[in-house]
Amino acid sequence: MNKSVARHTSGGTGFFLFPYSVWSVLFIVVPLVFVAYYAFTDNNFNFTFENISRFFTAVSQVKNPDGTFQEVRTYLVIFVRSLKLAAVSTVVCLAIGYPMAYIMARARAKTQRLLVTLIMIPMWMNFLIRTYAWMTILQDTGILNGFIAKLGMSPLHIIGTETAVVIGMVYDYFPYMILPIYSILAKMDEKLLEAARDLGCNGFGVMRRVVFPLSMPGVISGITMVLIPSISTFYISQKLGNGKFFLIGDVIEGQYIANNLHFAAAIAFILMVILLVCMGLLKYITGRTVHGGA
């Protein structure tokens, strides 16, 4: 009787998973296959590694402050800059989002619903509108500098800098950090915290030994959901950076507009592989930390 129920339950689960599986194959697996196919073919669709090698070997001349010129790896420099800004944005989101998620999880149910709604409201607006709003705030004659001028302070030049891009990334992707962490912390059993205190842990010890390790799945999800779109963004850098420096997303967009589809696919493929490797290492290291190296 039990085996029959188990088979019935398994069959029912498979039935409900079927639409999701079809969706995943059509809109995730198939596009990735096409990206890989274009990355390793030329304009005549002949197999080649030229697109991949071009990403690592292409050089350009950069003028030094002393007037001399230096050859640099063009796309590698852009990728490192993109990774740096994405990493800074992710760290800022985590530093702000984790305490806020913990406060939300410990609040009353009514307060939790209100705070989640407040975090979600900006996401109801169009991404472009949110970015233009920050342009109005950060420009030299914008709202922020107007407020600073009233305080008798010198205006700040933020728009067109890496700082402005980081601010835009943090604002746009912050909900993707806080919500996964909050969902884990809100489900945490209070008895675990009480047991830790009974065993002699102070507040910091409870956070370090119980709360943070148990919340790591949410932290990993948040880091993934912020880092990946941050490193591949292009609109934020164009508007808040005033187009003064390229990120890897700008390069992919530029190659696509120039109809260099194969090289654009190669850059996207390399970026995808690097991110998957980084996420795999992060998950592995975190798993060993949480489970005591088991």
Side-chain angles (χ1 to χ4, degrees):
M1 181 65 178
N2 291 338
K3 293 181 179 180
S4 176
V5 173
R7 285 196 299 268
H8 177 74
T9 304
S10 177
T13 303
F15 174 78
F16 287 111
L17 286 176
F18 179 74
Y20 172 76
S21 301
V22 173
W23 176 275
S24 298
V25 170
L26 290 178
F27 297 102
I28 298 178
V29 177
V30 172
L32 291 179
V33 170
F34 272 100
V35 169
Y37 175 70
Y38 270 77
F40 289 98
T41 55
D42 57 19
N43 292 331
N44 296 319
F45 293 97
N46 298 316
F47 180 80
T48 180
F49 282 107
E50 181 181 353
N51 298 318
I52 303 296
S53 63
R54 179 182 172 187
F55 177 84
F56 294 100
T57 59
V59 297
S60 59
Q61 296 284 340
V62 175
K63 188 175 183 179
N64 296 319
D66 59 1
T68 61
F69 288 87
Q70 177 185 4
E71 285 191 349
V72 297
R73 303 286 183 179
T74 308
Y75 302 111
L76 287 180
V77 170
I78 295 174
F79 172 74
V80 171
R81 180 191 301 133
S82 303
L83 183 60
K84 179 187 70 174
L85 296 184
V88 171
S89 303
T90 303
V91 170
V92 173
C93 286
L94 181 60
I96 300 174
Y98 196 95
M100 186 175 294
Y102 182 80
I103 294 172
M104 290 170 55
R106 302 275 76 82
R108 295 180 299 176
K110 185 177 180 180
T111 305
Q112 290 185 27
R113 290 193 294 269
L114 174 62
L115 293 174
V116 170
T117 302
L118 291 176
I119 292 172
M120 294 292 293
I121 284 177
M123 300 178 67
W124 298 348
M125 293 185 294
N126 186 275
F127 180 84
L128 306 184
I129 295 176
R130 300 202 304 268
T131 304
Y132 270 108
W134 274 106
M135 291 176 62
T136 304
I137 295 172
L138 297 178
Q139 62 186 353
D140 294 340
T141 57
I143 297 173
L144 178 61
N145 277 321
F147 177 74
I148 291 176
K150 290 183 178 180
L151 297 177
M153 300 170 60
S154 301
L156 301 174
H157 177 67
I158 302 177
I159 197 74
T161 65
E162 293 183 352
T163 301
V165 176
V166 170
I167 291 174
M169 289 179 179
V170 170
Y171 176 77
D172 282 315
Y173 303 126
F174 177 71
Y176 300 117
M177 176 66 75
I178 190 172
L179 293 178
I181 299 175
Y182 161 74
S183 66
I184 295 294
L185 293 176
K187 299 174 184 177
M188 190 173 297
D189 192 347
E190 290 286 344
K191 294 180 181 179
L192 296 174
L193 308 184
E194 295 175 2
R197 295 189 187 98
D198 292 340
L199 293 173
C201 278
N202 55 20
F204 178 75
V206 172
M207 284 293 300
R208 184 173 66 88
R209 296 177 179 273
V210 180
V211 177
F212 190 72
L214 292 178
S215 64
M216 284 308 297
V219 172
I220 296 300
S221 297
I223 291 175
T224 304
M225 296 174 68
V226 173
L227 181 64
I228 291 178
S230 294
I231 202 173
S232 59
T233 188
F234 60 92
Y235 192 79
I236 295 176
S237 59
Q238 291 176 2
K239 297 305 177 183
L240 298 183
N242 280 351
K244 293 182 178 179
F245 50 87
F246 278 153
L247 299 185
I248 201 68
D250 299 309
V251 176
I252 295 175
E253 184 203 27
Q255 295 298 326
Y256 180 81
I257 293 175
N259 204 32
N260 297 326
L261 302 183
H262 297 271
F263 186 52
I267 299 175
F269 180 79
I270 294 170
L271 182 62
M272 178 182 65
V273 171
I274 293 174
L275 289 175
L276 287 176
V277 171
C278 292
M279 291 299 103
L281 290 174
L282 181 61
K283 186 175 181 180
Y284 173 76
I285 294 172
T286 303
R288 291 182 61 86
T289 302
V290 173
H291 299 292

